[in-house]
Amino acid sequence: MPTIRRRLLAVSLALPLVFKATARADEGMWMPSQLPDIARQMKAAGFKGDPRDLAELARPPMNAIVKVGGASGAFVSNEGLVLTNHHVAFGVVQYNSGKQSDGSERDLIRDGYIAADRGAELPANPDYRVLVTTGFDRVTDRILAEAKGQQGRAYFDAVDRATKAVVAECEREPGTRCSVANMYYGTDFYRVRQLELRDVRLVYAPPNDIGNYGGEVDNFVWPRHTGDFTLLRAYVGKDGKPADYSPDNVAYVPPAHLQVSTANLKEGDYAMLAGYPGTTFRHRMASEFANQVEWQLPSRVALYQRMVDVIEATAAKDEAVRVSYANQVRSLKNSLKRAQGELDGLRRSNAVVVRRDDETAMYAWLDQQSDVVATKADIAAAQAVLDKGVAMRGRDQLLGVIVSQTQLLRSAVSLQRLAFERAKPDAEREGGYQQRDEALVSGQLRQVQRRYAMDVEKALLAELVGQYQALPAAQHVPEFDAVFGSTPAQLKAKLDALYSGTKLGAENERLAAMQADRAALSNSKDTLLQAAATLLPALLRLEDESKASNGELLRLRPAYMRALIGYRKSQGRAVYPDANSTLRVSYGRVSAMDPRDGVRYRPLTTVQGIVEKHTGSEPFNAPQPLLAAIAKGDFGTTAEPSLKTQTVDFLTNLDTTGGNSGSAVMDAHGKLIGLNFDSNWEAVSASWMFDPRYKRAIHVDMRYLRWLLAKVYPAPHLLREMQLPAE
Amino acid sequence: MPTIRRRLLAVSLALPLVFKATARADEGMWMPSQLPDIARQMKAAGFKGDPRDLAELARPPMNAIVKVGGASGAFVSNEGLVLTNHHVAFGVVQYNSGKQSDGSERDLIRDGYIAADRGAELPANPDYRVLVTTGFDRVTDRILAEAKGQQGRAYFDAVDRATKAVVAECEREPGTRCSVANMYYGTDFYRVRQLELRDVRLVYAPPNDIGNYGGEVDNFVWPRHTGDFTLLRAYVGKDGKPADYSPDNVAYVPPAHLQVSTANLKEGDYAMLAGYPGTTFRHRMASEFANQVEWQLPSRVALYQRMVDVIEATAAKDEAVRVSYANQVRSLKNSLKRAQGELDGLRRSNAVVVRRDDETAMYAWLDQQSDVVATKADIAAAQAVLDKGVAMRGRDQLLGVIVSQTQLLRSAVSLQRLAFERAKPDAEREGGYQQRDEALVSGQLRQVQRRYAMDVEKALLAELVGQYQALPAAQHVPEFDAVFGSTPAQLKAKLDALYSGTKLGAENERLAAMQADRAALSNSKDTLLQAAATLLPALLRLEDESKASNGELLRLRPAYMRALIGYRKSQGRAVYPDANSTLRVSYGRVSAMDPRDGVRYRPLTTVQGIVEKHTGSEPFNAPQPLLAAIAKGDFGTTAEPSLKTQTVDFLTNLDTTGGNSGSAVMDAHGKLIGLNFDSNWEAVSASWMFDPRYKRAIHVDMRYLRWLLAKVYPAPHLLREMQLPAE
């Protein structure tokens, strides 16, 4: 692909400000094309290759990096073997478990799986994909052509239309999946072109008690002892092109693959990682940091805790009700815990002050530049949009959970919305209400049966709408006041009437309503459907306002980003775009961590920890063959000589976020040393701020994989295929 | 005291077997008199003094070590200043808080206290004591004179009588408190003579948020950040003799005091500790280890959990009942947690196998010795006594909690027992039922009001007696069967009758019954008093059997201990007696710890940890002056140079157990470097087995004390008195 170099040149020219700037050590989710710009720092960190090679998507090692199952992975053989996390391939393992066509049962989650040969490799669920990024082209001018001169909703819609057109054109090439990535918050747009491999098969999965050892208890926990990996294989048609599953398909020959390392590993060793990080907020404005830390997270924690309390108190009397709400309570508690973790982390890092001081310094620098009037006007306008959101944040938070955390009310709103959207041509319907989504909607309507109890929903609404009623008048929405009244006493009477006058508690009524047309639903005598009909125009209006705000921010934030990039350049630093599920590279080191005073986390864990954690029951139920192999102590060439035992996982300071699951971790020579699968609890706040004291990433040591394949659940043919020693 | 040397000679001669034997590194709670025997190991560990000096109770530093408030402490000035833990002196701080005679209120727990001068030092509660051990003399022959030739209960009573006589004779000297210590399980007896200082005053206490920083949450936790110390002063009459509190008293001039160190501290430094460890079981027989790990601890965990479940389920419906039982539930959960911790630790250390293998080797050695017939017969007889206990352990455990964990039933039994004991001369009554105990009994009878609910007590008894009913017939007690029936159905009817026919639920009825004579109580129509009258003979019989067994073990265990001491000598190792609240010394090092794979605990904590843990609410509510001083960073000569900050606590591998609270931790030169106040959770099982991987002790760094006195809550006059730098 000789055009790659030209494309990258375009990318570079698009970002003249970052040229030759330097990065803060070890922070950064870099676009591959940026790496030559930070070559000096990468070399200083220990990288032995040429960063220009990493910038080329068509060259090793980047052409071995794939997107798989929504996360990351890499080719590890020249016959299409893909390595990713057990949890990323979990759906594939699950799909192949249960009752078989011959009537037998198998549980590959519990037992794991080793395909003895190519014929035994098991097809993944048909929607499972391996995507290889083959093109990354700047399309900013085209995306913004129509948007220029527009504002608000019109700007948003213009970008949306142009994006859809670019994608449609790009996807005309068969076997290609395309998207448009927004870099630096609307500053630049890139067309991402990916080869879409649709025949993926399960080759090797360890038992769940290895692949998910520690389960939820150890989630976000270091020290970790999980063998979170699975091997898949990508297949193509005999013509070498992407194809749906067919027994006649042949193994895909990737342009390159990563070689698993056979070297040892120690604290301080260079490491780098390539994958598809999801979303970060590092370059948000200081006021957004303050809003997040001072209001969004604490109020979410308080609100979710209140919801948990209300549900648990109301459900306490009735075991069946408790069971119905167990999922919702667990999910609220998880969100609460995560919000609390993020809050704790941002406070620990003093994020509000750090970001504010940085922004203040940036503005001081900006004031020294020429021609900044337009820039400053745009930033001020962006701030005004954000301020409008802050003024309504109490309302937006509460209305959000009033709809999303109820069962019957949500069903009623969803039914009215579906009827409303059905009046449009399918392509113009809102996402989630298109024809292809209707199965999902009916599934949700069915699920209500197992998740609803009238007393709980009324108690929850009494609490949530009660909080909404206590908001200042400026945040009130007439339609909500009409449906729920304006005082707690009115609310109680309204809720009694709403829930005694509805039949939506019955599944057949809900499913029947899904078939009704808009007029019938609008005129329904059902009290909740009536309420939803009243609320719908308000919800659509709020949605429209939100899109208008987003359009304005898309238009205005680039001024802020350009100022930031310019200021960083003046500091000698480059700026990576916030993560957006595109291919990124980060580099750093194998790193210990001091999580708190008096405690040091060592950077490598060993099989001793598996034995220590083993309780014999989930999630610490190490399989007997594993325990026996550990007791035997036969670790061969995969042992770490300095520890005289087998390592399991290791810790680096690499910059990651959700989506980096399955990212290949490479050494200074590009050899594969680890597979990223989690980060530590202290790093939950890293989506907003990278704090080098606490940000770590957790990887499976490839020597643990090699040992499992050599000695515990042997797959000598796969070791041979990966050109690895037999033991 | 020139006689001390002679006394110690006697001690040494009493233990010829341990002469010149060597100890396993760092394990051991040594009698001071044993230290010369392990001089080589102490020197090897880094001790710079002469162990013979430590063996002399009348010489520094041992004559500076005191027993205070039931735990340990040390003189730290030549004017009677005593350093102990904040939690050991907590009663003194509490006694001086609350409403004052002038009508004002003060809260020294919250605020701490600094006596500006001698006149401002506040008297402790009148029963608070500082005890200085002045004599330690072997009295084995006298204690066992009458016991020789006796067995069982008679042996027990003979030892008890001789002990009381020795104590009475010794205490004829005014200001003296005496006791007889049983060493090596009845092998040797020592008369301990202590100077009893009765006028103790509060000099300096940090606020509770320093002295108990971390509270229950951090109990048993490392890393720790607690300033758990308080300074008291001992006073005597103008004649220099112990006296009750009087404003005319003068500061006691101790024969010696410890000098607080001004040196730095690092991992690996020699450390030793002197104090009064309570009880250990290290030299129990292998079968007792097995019983503890395989039955006592797991069945206690299961039983207590079941009791918690029953109480919580029954109390769930009624908030008032929940409050009544909150204390009992908390106490059961604490005991359960501790039992589980001990069990986990003993399993982790493989204690049953380790002890059994050791004992097997000991028996093999014993078989090679001459004249071991009598020894082996005694050991076999001791084992038979233990086996009898094991055969009845289910019964004993259940009857124990049936009486101790109920409120009304326990009251009824207690009332019948008191009436029974009152028929004897006061001196012959059982402990707990003498005249001096009656206030305590009536207090308990009053307390029932706030801790009882009929439904809960009946549910608890249904569970506990139900479990008892399911025991094999051989473990049944006729009187219990008569009172509760033999089947669950009978039990239910009996419980209904027992609790509907009693008036003991009323406080005035209980207190009136306390005044009734034995005949009246025996003939009472009250159903629970009747039941207790039926049960009492059984309880007395079981108590008598238990004393007889204890007498037999007292007679027989010395054979086992002599065999163990002989075997250890053959291994070149000395044997310390299990802890029994007498003065002991242990030595070791400032030590990091690897609690589990991938985690290292550093041996020193710093003020940074106080800030990290601070939440602004109990138990992590660091006082503002402390936070301000930390932020200021002005640590002067008290900072640890290698860490460039102020240390707080440190960790050693010293051998400790409950009672070692407040023990002085000294360096290689006998200077005071720390104050022991806790051990780590992993060491809970150390009362049975010392596992060098996990056994650690937690101390306040004296540099933290110096910094607090110099910079945070200043007391320059006390620093001067302790001859310490002003900052």
Side-chain angles (χ1 to χ4, degrees):
Chain A
M1 295 194 206
T3 58
I4 286 277
R5 191 169 277 280
R6 236 183 312 135
R7 281 186 193 135
L8 289 165
L9 194 63
V11 171
S12 299
L13 287 172
L15 294 167
L17 292 172
V18 303
F19 264 24
K20 297 186 184 64
T22 61
R24 198 155 32 158
D26 302 338
E27 169 176 355
M29 298 172 173
W30 304 98
M31 297 189 288
S33 53
Q34 291 183 283
L35 298 176
D37 307 332
I38 56 165
R40 202 169 50 77
Q41 298 94 289
M42 289 183 76
K43 290 283 191 186
F47 181 53
K48 302 293 184 199
D50 184 342
R52 284 173 299 186
D53 291 338
L54 298 177
E56 305 256 359
L57 298 191
R59 272 202 209 166
M62 296 311 288
N63 54 358
I65 305 301
V66 300
K67 192 164 190 169
V68 52
S72 306
F75 288 116
V76 289
S77 87
N78 59 6
E79 296 176 84
L81 210 52
V82 172
L83 178 64
T84 188
N85 291 142
H86 187 262
H87 78 266
V88 170
F90 188 78
V92 179
V93 179
Q94 193 169 37
Y95 178 76
N96 283 288
S97 297
K99 199 142 209 155
Q100 301 305 299
S101 52
D102 64 0
S104 66
E105 291 261 2
R106 65 181 175 197
D107 186 347
L108 304 189
I109 300 172
R110 183 191 61 209
D111 301 334
Y113 187 71
I114 307 173
D117 54 30
R118 229 33 91 74
E121 296 177 357
L122 303 170
N125 31 317
D127 58 344
Y128 202 83
R129 295 287 180 269
V130 168
L131 301 168
V132 191
T133 299
T134 55
F136 187 74
D137 302 86
R138 186 168 182 257
V139 292
T140 312
D141 291 347
R142 192 168 157 197
I143 295 294
L144 295 183
E146 280 188 51
K148 289 244 164 74
Q150 305 289 341
Q151 292 197 348
R153 178 70 195 251
Y155 192 93
F156 182 93
D157 288 342
V159 168
D160 192 46
R161 272 195 308 276
T163 297
K164 283 176 174 160
V166 166
V167 168
E169 180 190 292
C170 174
E171 288 189 349
R172 267 181 223 142
E173 186 179 328
T176 301
R177 170 86 68 93
C178 302
S179 59
V180 171
N182 165 358
M183 299 289 179
Y184 303 107
Y185 294 104
T187 309
D188 258 321
F189 293 86
Y190 289 81
R191 182 181 58 210
V192 180
R193 184 190 299 267
Q194 295 175 307
L195 186 71
E196 183 179 35
L197 300 168
R198 308 198 297 274
D199 182 356
V200 183
R201 303 189 195 173
L202 178 62
V203 179
Y204 185 103
N208 197 56
D209 285 333
I210 289 176
N212 190 28
Y213 191 65
E216 276 305 308
V217 179
D218 264 7
N219 197 10
F220 283 120
V221 167
W222 184 262
R224 191 66 153 277
H225 298 86
T226 310
D228 191 355
F229 72 90
T230 286
L231 286 160
L232 306 169
R233 192 184 304 280
Y235 282 75
V236 288
K238 284 188 172 159
D239 58 357
K241 300 242 188 300
D244 288 331
Y245 169 78
S246 159
D248 297 335
N249 284 348
V250 296
Y252 172 67
V253 178
H257 69 275
L258 299 183
Q259 176 59 43
V260 174
S261 166
T262 55
N264 294 315
L265 206 62
K266 64 175 191 307
E267 183 167 357
D269 281 357
Y270 176 87
M272 64 181 176
L273 164 154
Y276 292 86
T279 310
T280 56
F281 310 90
R282 306 253 179 90
H283 305 318
R284 291 294 180 100
M285 293 168 71
S287 73
E288 293 177 281
F289 274 68
N291 181 42
Q292 182 76 358
V293 175
E294 288 158 10
W295 195 85
Q296 294 290 352
L297 292 170
S299 67
R300 190 183 309 158
V301 167
L303 179 65
Y304 284 22
Q305 184 59 57
R306 192 75 200 105
M307 290 168 67
V308 166
D309 291 346
V310 167
I311 294 173
E312 288 186 339
T314 317
K317 303 155 208 152
D318 189 330
E319 178 60 21
V321 174
R322 255 206 306 275
V323 171
S324 297
Y325 278 85
N327 255 319
Q328 190 172 349
V329 165
R330 185 164 49 237
S331 156
L332 284 168
K333 283 183 176 170
N334 278 343
S335 302
L336 193 164
K337 184 185 161 191
R338 212 185 146 103
Q340 187 65 55
E342 189 175 321
L343 182 58
D344 291 347
L346 291 173
R347 283 180 176 156
R348 191 168 49 220
S349 300
N350 203 14
V352 173
V353 171
V354 169
R355 187 73 193 87
R356 191 189 59 210
D357 290 353
D358 183 40
E359 189 178 83
T360 302
M362 177 189 89
Y363 287 139
W365 169 87
L366 188 62
D367 282 335
Q368 307 299 313
Q369 313 307 309
S370 56
D371 283 336
V372 296
V373 177
T375 296
K376 291 178 79 174
D378 275 4
I379 294 175
Q383 187 59 58
V385 173
L386 294 173
D387 289 346
K388 248 174 64 187
V390 165
M392 294 294 160
R393 62 192 180 185
R395 177 197 75 182
D396 291 343
Q397 185 186 58
L398 286 167
L399 297 192
V401 291
I402 284 169
V403 174
S404 70
Q405 294 293 320
T406 52
Q407 295 293 333
L408 244 48
L409 178 61
R410 181 176 52 174
S411 298
V413 168
S414 180
L415 286 163
Q416 293 289 8
R417 179 69 183 264
L418 183 63
F420 170 80
E421 297 288 342
R422 273 184 180 150
K424 307 178 191 170
D426 193 58
E428 291 174 25
R429 292 196 208 171
E430 184 71 13
Y433 296 95
Q434 292 178 295
Q435 269 166 23
R436 64 177 182 189
D437 302 317
E438 292 195 7
L440 197 68
V441 173
S442 86
Q444 284 168 346
L445 292 175
R446 277 177 220 277
Q447 217 172 41
V448 168
Q449 217 56 30
R450 294 184 291 107
R451 303 192 167 191
Y452 167 73
M454 186 173 70
D455 283 353
V456 176
E457 182 147 328
K458 285 170 71 177
L460 208 47
L461 282 173
E463 172 66 31
L464 298 173
V465 181
Q467 288 195 22
Y468 159 82
Q469 288 179 336
L471 292 174
Q475 295 193 46
H476 277 227
V477 180
E479 293 87 342
F480 275 80
D481 296 347
V483 167
F484 294 111
S486 298
T487 67
Q490 289 172 1
L491 173 58
K492 195 188 168 312
K494 294 274 192 185
L495 287 175
D496 287 344
L498 280 172
Y499 282 82
S500 64
T502 183
K503 291 180 179 155
L504 290 183
E507 184 175 310
N508 59 340
E509 294 281 344
R510 289 193 301 276
L511 295 175
M514 197 176 157
Q515 305 311 323
D517 66 12
R518 197 176 175 203
L521 275 195
S522 300
N523 300 323
S524 166
K525 295 268 181 285
D526 188 282
T527 44
L528 268 183
L529 284 172
Q530 283 173 3
T534 307
L535 296 177
L536 188 61
L539 292 169
L540 293 170
R541 191 172 68 240
L542 294 174
E543 198 173 288
D544 198 57
E545 286 171 14
S546 164
K547 282 182 181 166
S549 294
N550 287 338
E552 277 299 90
L553 289 175
L554 204 55
R555 180 174 77 85
L556 299 166
R557 274 192 200 271
Y560 184 87
M561 284 309 305
R562 284 192 200 97
L564 185 68
I565 291 168
Y567 172 58
R568 286 280 182 273
K569 188 188 172 198
S570 79
Q571 295 176 303
R573 290 166 54 190
V575 177
Y576 55 92
D578 258 317
N580 58 356
S581 296
T582 56
L583 183 58
R584 304 294 180 93
V585 172
S586 64
Y587 71 91
R589 285 164 199 79
V590 177
S591 302
M593 176 178 153
D594 296 332
R596 53 189 198 281
D597 185 50
V599 179
R600 161 147 291 197
Y601 289 162
R602 297 173 187 274
L604 284 86
T605 61
T606 76
V607 289
Q608 177 59 29
I610 294 173
V611 179
E612 286 171 4
K613 287 179 177 177
H614 176 72
T615 61
S617 57
E618 295 280 348
F620 296 108
N621 186 25
Q624 282 309 317
L626 177 61
L627 292 175
I630 294 170
K632 199 171 160 205
D634 176 17
F635 304 122
T637 65
T638 62
E640 165 59 41
S642 67
L643 300 171
K644 296 186 182 64
T645 185
Q646 180 60 52
T647 56
V648 179
D649 294 333
F650 67 99
L651 199 63
T652 67
N653 65 351
L654 293 173
D655 196 356
T656 59
T657 194
N660 270 124
S661 283
S663 294
V665 182
M666 293 166 274
D667 67 9
H669 304 280
K671 292 270 176 68
L672 186 68
I673 53 174
L675 189 65
N676 183 63
F677 71 96
D678 200 7
S679 60
N680 52 314
W681 177 244
E682 297 84 356
V684 167
S685 55
S687 54
W688 284 81
M689 177 160 281
F690 182 99
D691 186 329
R693 292 172 300 170
Y694 300 115
K695 176 67 188 81
R696 296 292 183 277
I698 299 175
H699 321 298
V700 184
D701 192 322
M702 282 300 101
R703 294 174 295 179
Y704 184 51
L705 175 146
R706 287 173 47 213
W707 179 64
L708 290 174
L709 266 67
K711 303 280 176 77
V712 190
Y713 293 92
H717 57 300
L718 296 175
L719 289 172
R720 266 195 309 276
E721 181 179 340
M722 293 186 279
Q723 297 180 289
L724 287 169
E727 58 184 41
Chain B
M1 294 192 209
T3 57
I4 286 277
R5 191 169 275 282
R6 235 181 312 134
R7 280 183 194 135
L8 290 166
L9 195 61
V11 171
S12 299
L13 287 173
L15 294 167
L17 291 172
V18 304
F19 264 24
K20 294 185 185 65
T22 60
R24 196 151 37 156
D26 302 339
E27 169 177 355
M29 299 173 173
W30 304 98
M31 296 190 288
S33 53
Q34 291 184 282
L35 298 177
D37 306 332
I38 55 166
R40 203 172 49 78
Q41 300 93 288
M42 289 182 76
K43 290 284 188 185
F47 181 54
K48 302 295 185 199
D50 183 343
R52 284 174 299 186
D53 291 339
L54 298 176
E56 306 255 359
L57 298 190
R59 273 203 209 163
M62 296 310 288
N63 55 358
I65 304 300
V66 301
K67 191 163 190 169
V68 51
S72 307
F75 288 117
V76 289
S77 86
N78 59 7
E79 297 176 84
L81 212 51
V82 172
L83 178 65
T84 188
N85 291 143
H86 186 262
H87 78 266
V88 170
F90 188 78
V92 179
V93 179
Q94 193 168 37
Y95 179 77
N96 284 288
S97 296
K99 198 142 210 156
Q100 300 305 299
S101 52
D102 65 359
S104 66
E105 290 261 2
R106 66 181 175 198
D107 187 345
L108 304 189
I109 300 172
R110 182 191 62 209
D111 301 333
Y113 186 70
I114 307 174
D117 54 31
R118 228 38 87 74
E121 295 177 358
L122 302 170
N125 30 318
D127 58 344
Y128 201 82
R129 295 287 179 272
V130 168
L131 300 169
V132 191
T133 298
T134 56
F136 187 74
D137 301 88
R138 185 168 182 256
V139 291
T140 311
D141 293 346
R142 191 167 158 196
I143 295 293
L144 295 183
E146 279 187 53
K148 289 244 163 76
Q150 304 289 342
Q151 292 196 351
R153 178 69 193 252
Y155 192 95
F156 182 92
D157 288 343
V159 168
D160 192 46
R161 271 195 308 276
T163 297
K164 282 175 174 160
V166 165
V167 168
E169 181 191 289
C170 174
E171 288 190 347
R172 269 182 221 142
E173 186 179 328
T176 302
R177 169 88 67 95
C178 301
S179 58
V180 170
N182 164 357
M183 298 289 179
Y184 304 106
Y185 295 104
T187 308
D188 259 320
F189 294 86
Y190 290 81
R191 181 182 59 210
V192 181
R193 185 191 297 266
Q194 294 176 307
L195 186 72
E196 183 180 34
L197 299 168
R198 309 197 296 275
D199 182 356
V200 183
R201 304 188 195 173
L202 177 62
V203 179
Y204 184 103
N208 197 55
D209 284 333
I210 290 176
N212 190 29
Y213 191 65
E216 276 305 307
V217 178
D218 263 6
N219 198 10
F220 284 119
V221 167
W222 184 262
R224 191 67 154 276
H225 298 85
T226 310
D228 191 354
F229 72 90
T230 286
L231 286 160
L232 306 169
R233 191 185 306 278
Y235 281 76
V236 288
K238 282 184 172 160
D239 59 357
K241 300 242 186 299
D244 288 333
Y245 169 77
S246 159
D248 297 335
N249 284 348
V250 296
Y252 171 67
V253 177
H257 70 273
L258 299 183
Q259 176 58 45
V260 175
S261 166
T262 55
N264 295 316
L265 206 61
K266 65 175 190 308
E267 184 166 356
D269 281 356
Y270 176 87
M272 63 182 176
L273 162 154
Y276 292 86
T279 310
T280 56
F281 310 90
R282 306 252 180 90
H283 306 318
R284 291 293 180 100
M285 293 168 71
S287 73
E288 294 177 280
F289 274 68
N291 181 41
Q292 182 75 359
V293 175
E294 288 159 10
W295 195 85
Q296 294 289 351
L297 292 170
S299 68
R300 191 184 309 160
V301 167
L303 179 65
Y304 285 22
Q305 184 60 57
R306 192 73 200 106
M307 290 168 66
V308 166
D309 291 347
V310 166
I311 294 173
E312 287 185 339
T314 316
K317 304 155 207 152
D318 188 330
E319 178 61 21
V321 175
R322 256 208 304 276
V323 170
S324 297
Y325 278 86
N327 256 319
Q328 189 172 349
V329 165
R330 184 162 50 236
S331 157
L332 284 167
K333 283 183 176 170
N334 278 343
S335 302
L336 193 164
K337 183 183 163 193
R338 213 185 145 102
Q340 187 65 56
E342 190 175 320
L343 183 59
D344 291 346
L346 291 173
R347 284 180 174 155
R348 188 169 50 219
S349 300
N350 202 14
V352 174
V353 171
V354 169
R355 186 74 193 84
R356 191 189 59 211
D357 290 353
D358 182 40
E359 189 177 82
T360 302
M362 177 189 89
Y363 287 138
W365 169 85
L366 187 62
D367 282 335
Q368 306 300 314
Q369 312 307 310
S370 56
D371 283 336
V372 295
V373 177
T375 297
K376 291 178 78 175
D378 275 4
I379 293 174
Q383 187 59 58
V385 173
L386 295 173
D387 289 346
K388 250 174 64 187
V390 165
M392 294 295 160
R393 61 193 179 184
R395 176 197 74 181
D396 291 342
Q397 186 186 56
L398 286 167
L399 297 192
V401 291
I402 284 170
V403 174
S404 70
Q405 295 292 320
T406 51
Q407 295 293 333
L408 244 46
L409 179 61
R410 180 175 52 172
S411 298
V413 168
S414 180
L415 286 163
Q416 292 290 7
R417 179 69 183 265
L418 183 63
F420 169 80
E421 297 288 343
R422 273 183 181 153
K424 307 178 191 171
D426 193 57
E428 291 174 25
R429 293 195 207 171
E430 183 72 12
Y433 297 95
Q434 293 177 294
Q435 270 169 22
R436 65 176 183 189
D437 302 317
E438 292 194 7
L440 197 69
V441 173
S442 84
Q444 284 169 347
L445 291 174
R446 278 177 219 277
Q447 217 172 43
V448 167
Q449 218 54 31
R450 293 184 290 110
R451 303 191 168 190
Y452 168 73
M454 187 173 71
D455 283 353
V456 176
E457 182 147 329
K458 284 170 71 177
L460 208 47
L461 281 172
E463 172 66 30
L464 297 174
V465 181
Q467 288 194 24
Y468 159 81
Q469 288 178 337
L471 291 174
Q475 295 194 46
H476 277 227
V477 180
E479 293 88 341
F480 275 80
D481 295 347
V483 167
F484 295 111
S486 298
T487 67
Q490 288 172 1
L491 173 58
K492 195 188 169 313
K494 294 274 191 184
L495 287 176
D496 288 344
L498 279 173
Y499 283 82
S500 64
T502 184
K503 291 179 177 156
L504 289 184
E507 184 175 311
N508 58 340
E509 294 282 342
R510 289 194 300 277
L511 294 174
M514 197 177 158
Q515 305 312 322
D517 66 12
R518 199 178 172 203
L521 276 194
S522 299
N523 299 322
S524 167
K525 294 268 180 284
D526 189 281
T527 44
L528 268 182
L529 284 173
Q530 282 172 4
T534 307
L535 296 177
L536 188 61
L539 292 170
L540 293 171
R541 191 173 67 241
L542 295 174
E543 198 173 287
D544 198 58
E545 286 171 16
S546 163
K547 282 181 181 167
S549 294
N550 287 338
E552 278 298 90
L553 289 174
L554 204 55
R555 180 174 76 85
L556 299 166
R557 275 192 199 271
Y560 184 86
M561 284 310 305
R562 284 193 198 95
L564 184 67
I565 291 168
Y567 172 58
R568 286 280 183 273
K569 189 188 171 198
S570 78
Q571 295 177 302
R573 289 166 55 189
V575 177
Y576 55 91
D578 258 317
N580 57 357
S581 295
T582 56
L583 183 58
R584 303 294 180 92
V585 171
S586 64
Y587 70 91
R589 287 165 196 78
V590 177
S591 303
M593 177 177 155
D594 296 332
R596 53 189 199 279
D597 185 50
V599 179
R600 161 147 292 197
Y601 289 161
R602 297 174 186 271
L604 284 86
T605 61
T606 76
V607 290
Q608 178 59 31
I610 295 173
V611 178
E612 286 171 5
K613 287 179 177 177
H614 177 72
T615 61
S617 57
E618 294 280 348
F620 296 109
N621 185 24
Q624 281 311 315
L626 176 62
L627 293 174
I630 295 170
K632 199 171 159 205
D634 175 16
F635 304 122
T637 65
T638 62
E640 166 59 42
S642 67
L643 301 171
K644 297 189 181 65
T645 185
Q646 180 61 51
T647 56
V648 178
D649 294 333
F650 67 99
L651 200 63
T652 66
N653 65 350
L654 292 173
D655 196 357
T656 58
T657 193
N660 269 124
S661 283
S663 294
V665 182
M666 293 167 274
D667 66 11
H669 303 281
K671 292 271 176 69
L672 186 68
I673 53 175
L675 189 65
N676 182 63
F677 71 97
D678 201 6
S679 59
N680 52 315
W681 178 245
E682 296 84 357
V684 167
S685 55
S687 54
W688 284 80
M689 177 161 281
F690 183 100
D691 187 329
R693 293 172 299 170
Y694 300 115
K695 175 66 188 79
R696 295 293 184 276
I698 300 175
H699 321 297
V700 184
D701 192 321
M702 283 300 100
R703 294 173 295 179
Y704 184 50
L705 174 146
R706 286 173 50 212
W707 180 64
L708 289 175
L709 266 67
K711 302 279 176 75
V712 189
Y713 293 93
H717 57 300
L718 296 176
L719 289 172
R720 265 195 309 276
E721 181 180 339
M722 293 186 279
Q723 297 180 287
L724 287 168
E727 58 184 39

